[in-house]
Every structure is written in structure tokens, then in C-alpha cells.
């Protein structure tokens, strides 16, 4: 990360229509870490057709609707990450670690039935998104991503398929217009 580059922890990367990588078309990525060593996050709007209880039965009752696993990105698809939204202040459950702003991770080996987690939402991701040092900055400079403020509700929205459009629309102005672009402009 360049010395004057902003810290992007807890911010959203929203795919621009110009992004050429189909794996990230119309995605909204929550950045959980951004530093000199690269960046790491999860795609918030790619639900999988698999219920959480198919792989982590104890967690089904505590995850946010729609109660399915999400594909967090193309890296580490054999691993799972539990993302939580946290209330301001207060004590955290021993299995929860704050990462950026109101976002944290939960140890999926812990028992969610061992008392309140002290969180306002839980979502489970298979895999994650990652960038090598300088890679994300290059993609942002190329216009592949819009960097926007996250709302805590973005991480556990019950309507993930509408998240890309909703995040752009709430920006107003030109971003709201971008939200109306068709997925394939050649069909317009």
C-alpha cells in the first residue's frame, strides 16, 4: 500500500460495469483487511444453493436470512468464514473478533448455543476474495471498482441479489444512474 493510500478496511468494493472479470461481475465485496501485504474480503451478494446446516448444522439457527452459504470469492473455497455485524461498544463473545468498524469474524468451531454471541447478524462464506500487494489499488485506478461506505446491514441483507443496485442507488447522482445499467449493455 502506498504511504498516502487510504485504509479501506470495512469499505465496500462495488464492481463497475467496466469490470472484465466475470467472477466479480456486479459484486459487492466487503473489505476486511487492506494493507501493505494486499487485501482480503468477501463477496456479499453471491448466495449458494446450499443451506448452512448442510456443512455447519449448529449455525443454521443463528445465520441471517436467507440461511444459505455465500461464495465469498474464488480463493480458499474449501474453507469457511463466519462474518458478523457487531453493535457499538459492549463486550464481545469470546469466539468473536472485531476486524473493521462494525464487522468481525466468529470462530465457527465455537458453539453458537453457548450463550449470546453479542452480534446483530451472522453470515457464513465459503471462500474469500484476495488481492496481492498493489493489485487492488491498480484495479481501482483502472476503474474496475467503486470504493464506497458500507452500511452494517449490507453484510446480512435478506435480499443479497438486489445489493449491487441498492448500494449504487443510495449514493445518488451518477452512481444511481449506474445502478440502472443492464447486465449486458449489448441487449439494450
Amino acid at each position: 500500500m502506498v504511504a498516502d493510500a487510504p485504509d479501506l478496511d470495512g469499505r465496500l468494493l462495488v464492481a463497475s460495469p467496466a469490470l472484465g472479470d466475470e467472477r466479480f461481475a456486479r459484486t459487492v465485496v466487503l473489505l476486511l483487511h487492506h494493507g501493505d501485504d494486499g487485501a482480503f474480503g468477501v463477496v456479499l451478494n453471491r448466495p449458494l444453493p446450499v443451506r448452512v446446516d448442510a456443512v455447519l448444522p449448529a449455525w443454521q439457527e443463528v445465520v441471517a436470512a436467507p440461511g444459505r452459504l455465500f461464495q465469498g470469492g474464488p480463493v480458499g473455497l474449501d474453507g469457511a468464514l463466519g462474518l458478523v455485524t457487531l453493535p457499538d461498544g459492549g463486550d464481545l463473545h469470546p469466539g468473536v473478533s472485531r476486524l473493521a468498524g462494525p464487522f468481525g469474524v466468529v470462530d465457527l468451531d465455537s458453539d453458537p448455543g453457548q450463550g449470546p454471541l453479542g452480534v446483530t447478524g451472522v453470515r457464513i462464506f465459503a471462500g474469500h476474495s484476495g488481492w496481492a500487494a498493489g493489485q487492488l489499488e491498480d484495479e481501482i485506478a483502472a476503474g474496475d471498482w467503486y470504493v464506497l461506505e458500507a452500511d452494517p446491514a449490507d453484510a446480512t441483507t435478506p435480499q443479497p441479489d438486489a445489493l449491487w443496485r441498492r448500494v449504487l442507488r443510495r449514493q445518488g447522482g451518477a452512481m444511481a444512474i449506474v445502478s440502472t445499467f443492464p447486465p449486458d449493455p449489448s441487449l439494450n
Side-chain angles (χ1 to χ4, degrees):
M1 187 167 72
V2 180
D4 61 351
D7 176 14
L8 302 180
D9 290 359
R11 307 273 308 268
L12 296 177
L13 295 177
V14 179
S16 80
L19 184 84
D21 187 339
E22 279 301 311
R23 296 173 299 170
F24 289 102
R26 292 192 173 230
T27 57
V28 177
V29 177
L30 175 63
L31 280 178
L32 299 173
H33 169 74
H34 176 242
D36 292 334
D37 55 345
F40 165 85
V42 290
V43 176
L44 298 178
N45 60 332
R46 291 281 165 90
L48 295 168
V50 178
R51 286 176 43 95
V52 169
D53 60 4
V55 292
L56 294 164
W59 289 91
Q60 184 67 50
E61 295 303 315
V62 298
V63 296
R68 299 188 324 207
L69 288 175
F70 279 66
Q71 184 171 350
V75 181
L77 293 174
D78 58 344
L81 181 142
L83 178 71
V84 296
T85 53
L86 305 163
D88 290 335
D91 295 331
L92 294 179
H93 183 274
V96 175
S97 300
R98 188 178 297 271
L99 288 180
F103 306 107
V105 293
V106 62
D107 177 1
L108 294 174
D109 289 329
S110 66
D111 181 359
Q114 292 290 332
L117 289 171
V119 302
T120 57
V122 178
R123 179 137 296 151
I124 310 288
F125 294 88
H128 63 275
S129 302
W131 292 264
Q135 182 183 1
L136 178 58
E137 292 80 1
D138 291 346
E139 292 179 14
I140 291 168
D144 292 340
W145 299 102
Y146 303 119
V147 180
L148 303 171
E149 293 296 324
D151 181 303
D154 294 337
T156 55
T157 179
Q159 299 169 325
D161 296 333
L163 187 61
W164 183 83
R165 185 171 296 227
R166 193 169 54 250
V167 169
L168 289 171
R169 199 170 275 160
R170 78 178 179 225
Q171 307 308 310
M175 290 287 179
I177 293 169
V178 170
S179 78
T180 66
F181 285 19
D184 184 353
S186 68
L187 299 177
N188 194 10

